[in-house]
Amino acid sequence: MDWYIKHIVDTGRSAALVALIGFVVTYGITRAITRKIKARSAAPPTEDADAGGAVNDIYIGGVHIHHQVWGILLILVAGLLEFRFQPDSPWREVLAAMFGIGAALALDEFALWLHLEDVYWSEEGRKSIDAVMIAAVVGLALLVGTSPIGVNEPGANTLGILVTAGSVVIHITYSVITLLKGKLATGLIGLPVPLLGFVGACRLAHPTSFWAKRFYSPKKIARAERRYEKYVNRRERMRDLVGGRE
């Protein structure tokens, strides 16, 4: 308990930790429920087919209410309460839990935002898994350290400020290069995790990215295509691990 108070509470990380836990747990439960509903709907009809228990899709007025709706509402309520009251502990952690739960529910249907149609179980729907992984990594990075490229010490000297400013410029530069190479997830996660952004900038670009089209020779594009095939296989294994296999 002393370790928790010293390293989590006293450093202002308790709300971030609660939000991250709420996010991860809610996502796991949500995926388990949606897979159970899908499995039941795909099963042969029986006499008890209409008896789904508490695990069912929610309809209001004949309209299917996606769980992203509840997630967005939770995020809005948590944000409004935080902005208005800015409560101290433990209510700050309660609002953080609401935010984490809401974010998980909303991002689990990120592909629906993107395509404006129910693509949850399609190939396009697997983009929601990517969004969840990015959010989880960013949340973890913010929990571990809120200023990975800056300085927090008061009274920093001029040299320290210049070094920090130069580090920020370099960091932003290779993050932009990573994005231009078509690595959106790596570039975004690399903003709070500098080493990851640097690695993304050094590696081969996506074969259809702006960077590849502008700077790569046909031979290097072919090499990037071969590398990209391996990346797709790794990405699908990770998606299966996080979102479950069909």
Side-chain angles (χ1 to χ4, degrees):
M1 182 60 69
D2 291 339
W3 182 92
Y4 176 80
I5 293 175
K6 179 180 179 181
H7 295 283
I8 302 298
V9 177
D10 291 347
T11 58
R13 291 182 171 94
S14 57
L17 176 61
V18 171
L20 182 60
I21 292 173
F23 180 88
V24 173
V25 172
T26 301
Y27 176 74
I29 294 174
T30 301
R31 275 282 160 172
I33 290 174
T34 55
R35 291 181 67 81
K36 184 174 182 179
I37 292 173
K38 184 175 186 295
R40 188 173 61 239
S41 64
T46 64
E47 294 180 359
D48 298 328
D50 295 332
V55 181
N56 268 314
D57 289 327
I58 298 176
Y59 288 85
I60 298 178
V63 177
H64 177 207
I65 307 300
H66 291 269
H67 51 269
Q68 69 162 341
V69 174
W70 311 114
I72 292 171
L73 290 176
L74 275 175
I75 291 172
L76 291 174
V77 170
L80 287 172
L81 292 176
E82 170 63 27
F83 296 148
R84 172 60 182 85
F85 298 106
Q86 297 182 346
D88 295 325
S89 182
W91 293 110
R92 181 173 62 243
E93 285 76 15
V94 171
L95 294 181
M98 290 174 58
F99 182 88
I101 293 170
L105 293 173
L107 287 176
D108 187 47
E109 294 196 307
F110 171 77
L112 190 150
W113 312 358
L114 196 61
H115 295 278
L116 297 180
E117 59 180 318
D118 191 356
V119 293
Y120 191 84
W121 295 111
S122 68
E123 179 61 29
E124 291 83 358
R126 294 172 73 81
K127 294 173 184 175
S128 297
I129 301 174
D130 298 337
V132 167
M133 289 192 291
I134 292 173
V137 172
V138 170
L140 182 61
L142 294 175
L143 174 64
V144 172
T146 56
S147 182
I149 58 175
V151 290
N152 294 321
E153 294 80 3
N157 56 34
T158 302
L159 179 60
I161 294 174
L162 291 176
V163 170
T164 300
S167 299
V168 171
V169 171
I170 294 172
H171 173 62
I172 295 299
T173 299
Y174 63 64
S175 294
V176 170
I177 291 175
T178 301
L179 294 173
L180 291 176
K181 286 189 171 185
K183 303 175 181 182
L184 179 60
T186 303
L188 293 178
I189 298 174
L191 288 173
V193 187
L195 180 60
L196 183 62
F198 178 73
V199 171
C202 292
R203 293 176 65 84
L204 281 173
H206 188 292
T208 61
S209 66
F210 168 83
W211 190 272
K213 292 178 179 179
R214 179 67 178 81
F215 299 109
Y216 283 6
S217 65
K219 183 178 180 179
K220 196 166 186 178
I221 288 180
R223 181 185 167 198
E225 289 174 345
R226 292 193 297 270
R227 175 71 62 84
Y228 182 66
E229 289 178 3
K230 297 179 181 178
Y231 161 76
V232 169
N233 292 332
R234 290 196 301 268
R235 183 187 65 186
E236 292 306 312
R237 288 196 296 269
M238 181 60 69
R239 281 175 165 181
D240 290 339
L241 179 64
V242 175
R245 184 185 297 274
E246 286 302 305

